[in-house]
Amino acid sequence: MYFHFSIFYVLLYFALGAIYPLLSQYLIEIGLNGTEIGLITATGAVVVLLAQPIWGILCDKTQKTKKILTYTIAIAAALGIVLSFFQQFYVLLFGFAVLYFFQGANGPIIDGIVLNHTAKSNFSFGDVRQWGSIGFALAVFVAGVLGEKLGLKIIFYIYSLFYIVALFLIKPLPSEKSNTKVQLTNGVKKLLKTPQYTLLLISVLFVFGPMNGHNVYFALLFKYLGGGISGVGLAFLLFAGSEAPIMKIANKITNKIGIVNTLLGATIISVLRWFWYSTGPSYQQILWLFMLQGLSVGLLIVTGAQYASKNAPDELRMTAMTLYSSLGLGLGSIISKLLGGIILDQYNILAVYRFFGYSSLIGFIPLLIIKYRYESRKSETI
């Protein structure tokens, strides 16, 4: 099942890597401004914020996770092709909102399936999740090269193609069902009353938001610093590629220093990274220090999901993962993408990354509270 999970992650994140890092560049090419780009990406994140808990609840209540995954991927693939034919701001705003509604279900659902399975297997979540980063890295490089030669509209077709291929791998996924009757209202209340889980949500809101915003605005930063479109592809190939080896050893790192210490360390690296980008280094320097992505984003993706799952009841694991993704990642994305677009219009791309740095610094505080108020009692290894 490890091989099957790995291929599925490659396909899923290849689709995402093909479209989102170059989307801002595409939208500028067709005449949209920074505020409009921020509104499109932020509106999508609002939809994800509202939709993901619904998908998680449906999965836990109906126990038809694979069927829901099939429908959401199929509809997102179709919408990817449809959107390539429109350039009007309001049409794209509505279209991407609908796309995000269905696409937003896929990541948390497959993460929940894998986390549930790895608890009973001889491989870790990081071993599998690394393949998503590999797929994402390859996609940005391929899309960058093809986009420069064939035009950036190609990103929509690559996205849809890889989603369609992923559909054929859903049926063999494990169908593990909970025997516990889920009391959804009480369960969600219980989740939100768990201090560690709630503090983690607050943290990732401020830390993961800039990570998602970076995927939208980095192409503009790279161009500002003198790089080209194909260079953006190379940068993301290095960035996302650096996540894979770090994710693979994430379990060893958390076993050695503790999961909360790992989250703290990765967050600090993220803070320093955004502030450094805001000083306007050369794009060559950014490429040379590509491992910063793996040491921050790579560790945060794996350990954040593991910590959220660890602090959730078994019968509400899928709800916990989608709530974590929507409130933590979704709301953070809304803030980062929308304010990023406004800051871009008022100042410049360097100011956007300065904002990312301050946001991540705020997200460091809840992790400190988790460590010194709650985890210190558990004699976590330091």
Side-chain angles (χ1 to χ4, degrees):
M1 190 51 68
Y2 169 78
F3 178 76
H4 192 88
F5 281 145
S6 301
I7 297 298
F8 193 85
Y9 268 107
V10 168
L11 294 171
L12 207 64
Y13 282 89
F14 197 104
L16 299 179
I19 190 169
Y20 290 110
L22 294 172
L23 181 60
S24 62
Q25 190 66 39
Y26 169 79
L27 294 176
I28 281 181
E29 277 194 6
I30 64 174
L32 273 61
N33 60 38
T35 300
E36 289 171 332
I37 293 170
L39 281 170
I40 286 174
T41 54
T43 299
V46 171
V47 172
V48 170
L49 172 68
L50 300 173
Q52 283 185 333
I54 296 173
W55 293 121
I57 288 169
L58 282 174
C59 288
D60 283 330
K61 189 171 184 178
T62 65
Q63 299 287 296
K64 294 181 179 179
T65 302
K66 292 200 297 182
K67 187 172 287 188
I68 291 171
L69 188 61
T70 300
Y71 290 148
T72 55
I73 288 180
I75 295 172
L79 287 169
I81 295 173
V82 171
L83 284 172
S84 69
F85 293 100
F86 297 96
Q87 296 186 359
Q88 300 87 350
F89 166 66
Y90 287 106
V91 175
L92 291 174
L93 182 67
F94 175 77
F96 272 102
V98 179
L99 175 69
Y100 271 81
F101 179 80
F102 292 100
Q103 177 196 288
N106 305 326
I109 287 177
I110 188 61
D111 286 349
I113 292 173
V114 173
L115 281 163
N116 196 40
H117 187 79
T118 54
K120 309 165 188 176
S121 66
N122 58 356
F123 55 87
S124 69
F125 177 65
D127 288 334
V128 180
R129 183 58 181 78
Q130 64 169 322
W131 291 101
S133 294
I134 291 172
F136 193 95
L138 291 173
V140 185
F141 179 72
V142 171
V145 172
L146 292 178
E148 201 162 52
K149 292 182 178 179
L150 304 175
L152 284 175
K153 187 179 284 190
I154 193 71
I155 63 179
F156 292 94
Y157 304 127
I158 300 173
Y159 168 86
S160 296
L161 174 63
F162 277 80
Y163 255 24
I164 290 169
V165 176
L167 286 172
F168 295 97
L169 297 182
I170 293 176
K171 189 174 181 180
L173 291 174
S175 299
E176 298 172 6
K177 298 181 179 181
S178 171
N179 293 321
T180 306
K181 187 177 180 180
V182 178
Q183 300 294 331
L184 293 172
T185 304
N186 292 335
V188 171
K189 287 181 180 177
K190 182 178 179 182
L191 279 174
L192 296 179
K193 286 181 180 179
T194 305
Q196 296 95 317
Y197 182 83
T198 304
L199 286 166
L200 179 69
L201 289 185
I202 296 170
S203 176
V204 298
L205 185 153
F206 289 100
V207 176
F208 279 59
M211 284 163 43
N212 289 320
H214 166 69
N215 288 338
V216 173
Y217 291 109
F218 178 73
L220 302 181
L221 175 68
F222 200 78
K223 186 177 180 181
Y224 179 90
L225 299 176
I229 292 176
S230 60
V232 174
L234 174 61
F236 270 101
L237 176 65
L238 295 172
F239 288 164
S242 74
E243 295 174 16
I246 300 298
M247 286 180 172
K248 188 171 182 62
I249 64 171
N251 215 41
K252 294 180 180 177
I253 295 173
T254 56
N255 286 339
K256 186 174 181 63
I257 68 172
I259 191 168
V260 177
N261 285 333
T262 305
L263 286 167
L264 284 166
T267 300
I268 281 295
I269 293 172
S270 195
V271 170
L272 296 175
R273 182 189 182 196
W274 304 142
F275 279 132
W276 177 53
Y277 282 9
S278 74
T279 65
S282 69
Y283 71 87
Q284 293 95 336
Q285 289 176 321
I286 288 177
L287 292 176
W288 276 111
L289 292 176
F290 67 93
M291 280 301 296
L292 290 175
Q293 173 109 353
L295 293 170
S296 55
V297 178
L299 284 177
L300 286 167
I301 288 174
V302 173
T303 52
Q306 287 177 329
Y307 197 73
S309 178
K310 170 186 171 184
N311 286 280
D314 290 340
E315 70 274 13
L316 279 166
R317 182 163 291 167
M318 200 67 69
T319 301
M321 291 305 298
T322 51
L323 193 63
Y324 161 80
S325 185
S326 63
L327 290 183
L329 313 188
L331 187 57
S333 294
I334 295 167
I335 296 169
S336 292
K337 292 172 182 176
L338 183 57
L339 292 185
I342 295 171
I343 292 169
L344 179 64
D345 278 345
Q346 295 296 318
Y347 301 98
N348 57 33
I349 192 64
L350 298 182
V352 173
Y353 276 84
R354 195 173 304 118
F355 160 65
F356 288 170
Y358 285 119
S359 176
S360 300
L361 189 59
I362 293 170
F364 184 73
I365 298 171
L367 294 176
L368 285 176
I369 297 173
I370 291 174
K371 176 177 172 57
Y372 290 106
R373 176 154 188 174
Y374 299 102
E375 297 297 327
S376 60
R377 303 170 188 171
K378 300 180 182 179
S379 64
E380 179 177 275
T381 305
I382 298 177

Coordinates of all heavy atoms in Angstrom, one line a residue, residues 140-178:
V140 N 6.0 22.0 -11.0 CA 6.3 23.4 -11.2 C 7.4 23.6 -12.3 O 7.3 24.5 -13.1 CB 6.7 24.1 -9.9 CG1 6.9 25.6 -10.1 CG2 5.7 23.9 -8.8
F141 N 8.4 22.7 -12.2 CA 9.5 22.8 -13.2 C 8.9 22.5 -14.6 O 9.2 23.3 -15.5 CB 10.5 21.8 -12.9 CG 11.7 21.7 -13.8 CD1 12.6 22.8 -13.9 CD2 11.8 20.7 -14.7 CE1 13.6 22.8 -14.8 CE2 12.9 20.7 -15.6 CZ 13.8 21.7 -15.7
V142 N 8.1 21.4 -14.8 CA 7.6 21.1 -16.1 C 6.6 22.2 -16.6 O 6.7 22.6 -17.7 CB 6.8 19.7 -16.0 CG1 6.0 19.4 -17.3 CG2 7.8 18.6 -15.7
A143 N 5.7 22.7 -15.7 CA 4.8 23.7 -16.1 C 5.5 25.0 -16.4 O 5.1 25.7 -17.3 CB 3.8 23.9 -14.9
G144 N 6.6 25.3 -15.7 CA 7.4 26.5 -16.0 C 8.0 26.4 -17.4 O 7.9 27.4 -18.2
V145 N 8.6 25.3 -17.7 CA 9.2 25.1 -19.1 C 8.2 25.1 -20.2 O 8.3 25.9 -21.2 CB 10.0 23.8 -19.1 CG1 10.5 23.5 -20.5 CG2 11.2 23.9 -18.1
L146 N 7.1 24.4 -20.0 CA 6.0 24.3 -21.0 C 5.3 25.7 -21.1 O 4.9 26.1 -22.2 CB 5.0 23.2 -20.6 CG 5.5 21.8 -20.8 CD1 4.4 20.8 -20.3 CD2 6.0 21.5 -22.2
G147 N 5.1 26.3 -19.9 CA 4.4 27.6 -20.0 C 5.2 28.7 -20.7 O 4.6 29.5 -21.4
E148 N 6.5 28.6 -20.7 CA 7.3 29.6 -21.4 C 7.3 29.3 -22.9 O 7.4 30.2 -23.7 CB 8.8 29.5 -20.9 CG 9.6 30.7 -21.2 CD 10.8 30.8 -20.3 OE1 11.6 29.8 -20.3 OE2 11.0 31.9 -19.7
K149 N 7.2 28.0 -23.3 CA 7.1 27.7 -24.7 C 5.8 27.7 -25.3 O 5.6 28.1 -26.5 CB 7.7 26.3 -24.9 CG 9.2 26.2 -24.5 CD 9.8 24.8 -24.8 CE 11.3 24.7 -24.5 NZ 11.8 23.4 -24.7
L150 N 4.7 27.3 -24.6 CA 3.4 27.1 -25.1 C 2.4 28.1 -24.6 O 1.2 28.1 -25.0 CB 2.9 25.7 -24.8 CG 3.8 24.5 -25.3 CD1 3.2 23.2 -24.8 CD2 3.9 24.6 -26.8
G151 N 2.8 28.9 -23.6 CA 1.8 29.8 -23.0 C 1.3 29.3 -21.6 O 1.2 28.1 -21.5
L152 N 1.0 30.2 -20.7 CA 0.7 29.8 -19.4 C -0.7 29.1 -19.2 O -0.9 28.5 -18.2 CB 0.8 31.0 -18.4 CG 2.2 31.4 -18.0 CD1 2.2 32.7 -17.2 CD2 2.9 30.3 -17.3
K153 N -1.5 29.2 -20.3 CA -2.8 28.5 -20.2 C -2.6 27.0 -20.0 O -3.5 26.3 -19.6 CB -3.6 28.8 -21.5 CG -5.0 28.3 -21.4 CD -5.8 28.6 -22.6 CE -6.2 30.0 -22.6 NZ -7.2 30.3 -23.7
I154 N -1.4 26.5 -20.4 CA -1.2 25.0 -20.3 C -1.3 24.5 -18.9 O -1.5 23.3 -18.6 CB 0.3 24.7 -20.9 CG1 0.5 23.2 -21.1 CG2 1.4 25.3 -19.9 CD1 -0.3 22.7 -22.2
I155 N -1.1 25.4 -17.9 CA -1.2 25.0 -16.5 C -2.5 24.4 -16.1 O -2.6 23.5 -15.3 CB -0.8 26.1 -15.5 CG1 -1.8 27.2 -15.6 CG2 0.6 26.6 -15.8 CD1 -1.5 28.4 -14.6
F156 N -3.6 24.8 -16.8 CA -4.9 24.3 -16.5 C -5.1 22.9 -17.0 O -5.7 22.0 -16.3 CB -6.0 25.2 -17.1 CG -6.1 26.6 -16.5 CD1 -5.4 27.6 -17.0 CD2 -6.9 26.8 -15.4 CE1 -5.5 28.9 -16.5 CE2 -7.0 28.0 -14.8 CZ -6.4 29.1 -15.4
Y157 N -4.5 22.6 -18.2 CA -4.6 21.3 -18.8 C -3.8 20.3 -18.0 O -4.2 19.1 -17.9 CB -4.3 21.4 -20.3 CG -5.1 22.4 -21.0 CD1 -4.5 23.4 -21.8 CD2 -6.5 22.4 -20.9 CE1 -5.2 24.3 -22.4 CE2 -7.2 23.3 -21.6 CZ -6.6 24.3 -22.4 OH -7.4 25.3 -23.0
I158 N -2.6 20.7 -17.6 CA -1.8 19.7 -16.8 C -2.5 19.4 -15.5 O -2.5 18.2 -15.1 CB -0.4 20.4 -16.5 CG1 0.3 20.7 -17.8 CG2 0.4 19.4 -15.6 CD1 1.6 21.4 -17.6
Y159 N -3.1 20.4 -14.8 CA -3.8 20.2 -13.6 C -4.9 19.1 -13.8 O -5.0 18.2 -13.0 CB -4.4 21.5 -13.2 CG -5.4 21.5 -12.1 CD1 -5.0 21.5 -10.7 CD2 -6.8 21.4 -12.4 CE1 -6.0 21.5 -9.7 CE2 -7.7 21.4 -11.3 CZ -7.3 21.4 -10.0 OH -8.3 21.4 -9.0
S160 N -5.7 19.3 -14.8 CA -6.9 18.4 -15.0 C -6.4 17.0 -15.4 O -7.0 16.0 -15.0 CB -7.8 19.0 -16.1 OG -8.3 20.2 -15.7
L161 N -5.4 16.9 -16.2 CA -4.9 15.6 -16.7 C -4.4 14.8 -15.5 O -4.8 13.6 -15.4 CB -3.7 15.8 -17.6 CG -3.0 14.5 -18.1 CD1 -3.9 13.6 -18.8 CD2 -1.7 14.9 -18.9
F162 N -3.7 15.3 -14.6 CA -3.2 14.5 -13.5 C -4.2 14.2 -12.4 O -4.2 13.2 -11.8 CB -2.0 15.2 -12.8 CG -0.7 15.0 -13.6 CD1 -0.4 15.7 -14.7 CD2 0.2 14.0 -13.1 CE1 0.8 15.4 -15.4 CE2 1.4 13.7 -13.8 CZ 1.6 14.4 -15.0
Y163 N -5.2 15.1 -12.3 CA -6.4 14.7 -11.5 C -7.2 13.6 -12.0 O -7.6 12.7 -11.3 CB -7.3 16.0 -11.3 CG -7.2 16.6 -9.9 CD1 -6.0 16.5 -9.2 CD2 -8.2 17.4 -9.4 CE1 -5.9 17.1 -7.9 CE2 -8.1 18.0 -8.2 CZ -6.9 17.9 -7.5 OH -6.8 18.5 -6.2
I164 N -7.3 13.6 -13.4 CA -8.1 12.5 -14.0 C -7.3 11.2 -13.8 O -8.0 10.1 -13.5 CB -8.2 12.8 -15.5 CG1 -9.2 13.9 -15.7 CG2 -8.7 11.6 -16.3 CD1 -9.3 14.5 -17.1
V165 N -6.0 11.2 -14.0 CA -5.2 9.9 -13.8 C -5.4 9.4 -12.3 O -5.5 8.2 -12.1 CB -3.8 10.2 -14.1 CG1 -2.9 8.9 -13.8 CG2 -3.6 10.5 -15.6
A166 N -5.4 10.4 -11.4 CA -5.6 10.0 -9.9 C -6.9 9.3 -9.7 O -6.9 8.5 -8.7 CB -5.5 11.3 -9.1
L167 N -7.9 9.5 -10.5 CA -9.2 8.9 -10.3 C -9.1 7.4 -10.3 O -9.8 6.6 -9.6 CB -10.2 9.4 -11.3 CG -10.8 10.8 -11.1 CD1 -11.6 11.2 -12.4 CD2 -11.6 10.9 -9.9
F168 N -8.2 6.9 -11.2 CA -8.0 5.4 -11.4 C -7.3 4.7 -10.2 O -7.3 3.5 -10.1 CB -7.3 5.2 -12.7 CG -8.0 5.6 -13.9 CD1 -7.7 6.8 -14.5 CD2 -9.0 4.8 -14.5 CE1 -8.4 7.3 -15.6 CE2 -9.7 5.2 -15.6 CZ -9.4 6.5 -16.2
L169 N -6.8 5.5 -9.3 CA -6.1 4.9 -8.1 C -6.9 5.0 -6.8 O -6.4 4.6 -5.8 CB -4.8 5.6 -7.9 CG -3.7 5.5 -9.0 CD1 -2.5 6.3 -8.6 CD2 -3.4 4.1 -9.4
I170 N -8.1 5.5 -6.9 CA -8.9 5.6 -5.7 C -9.5 4.3 -5.2 O -9.5 4.0 -4.0 CB -10.1 6.6 -5.9 CG1 -9.5 8.0 -6.1 CG2 -11.0 6.6 -4.7 CD1 -10.5 9.1 -6.4
K171 N -10.0 3.4 -6.1 CA -10.7 2.2 -5.8 C -9.8 1.3 -4.9 O -10.3 0.7 -3.9 CB -11.1 1.4 -7.0 CG -12.0 0.3 -6.7 CD -12.5 -0.4 -8.0 CE -13.4 -1.5 -7.6 NZ -14.0 -2.2 -8.9
P172 N -8.5 1.1 -5.1 CA -7.7 0.2 -4.2 C -7.4 0.8 -2.9 O -6.8 0.1 -2.0 CB -6.4 0.0 -5.1 CG -6.8 0.4 -6.5 CD -7.7 1.5 -6.3
L173 N -7.7 2.1 -2.6 CA -7.3 2.7 -1.3 C -8.1 1.9 -0.2 O -9.2 1.4 -0.4 CB -7.7 4.1 -1.3 CG -6.9 5.1 -2.2 CD1 -7.5 6.5 -2.1 CD2 -5.5 5.2 -1.7
P174 N -7.5 1.8 1.0 CA -8.2 1.1 2.1 C -9.5 1.8 2.5 O -9.6 3.0 2.5 CB -7.2 1.2 3.2 CG -6.3 2.3 2.9 CD -6.2 2.4 1.4
S175 N -10.5 1.0 2.8 CA -11.8 1.5 3.3 C -12.0 1.1 4.8 O -12.7 0.2 5.1 CB -12.9 0.9 2.5 OG -12.8 1.2 1.1
E176 N -11.2 1.8 5.6 CA -11.3 1.5 7.1 C -12.4 2.3 7.7 O -12.4 3.6 7.6 CB -10.0 1.8 7.7 CG -8.8 0.9 7.1 CD -7.5 1.3 7.6 OE1 -7.4 2.2 8.5 OE2 -6.5 0.8 7.2
K177 N -13.4 1.7 8.3 CA -14.5 2.3 8.9 C -14.5 2.2 10.4 O -14.1 1.2 11.0 CB -15.8 1.7 8.4 CG -16.0 1.9 6.9 CD -17.3 1.3 6.4 CE -17.4 1.5 4.9 NZ -18.7 1.0 4.4
S178 N -15.0 3.3 11.0 CA -15.1 3.3 12.5 C -16.3 2.6 13.0 O -17.4 2.8 12.4 CB -15.0 4.7 13.0 OG -15.3 4.8 14.4

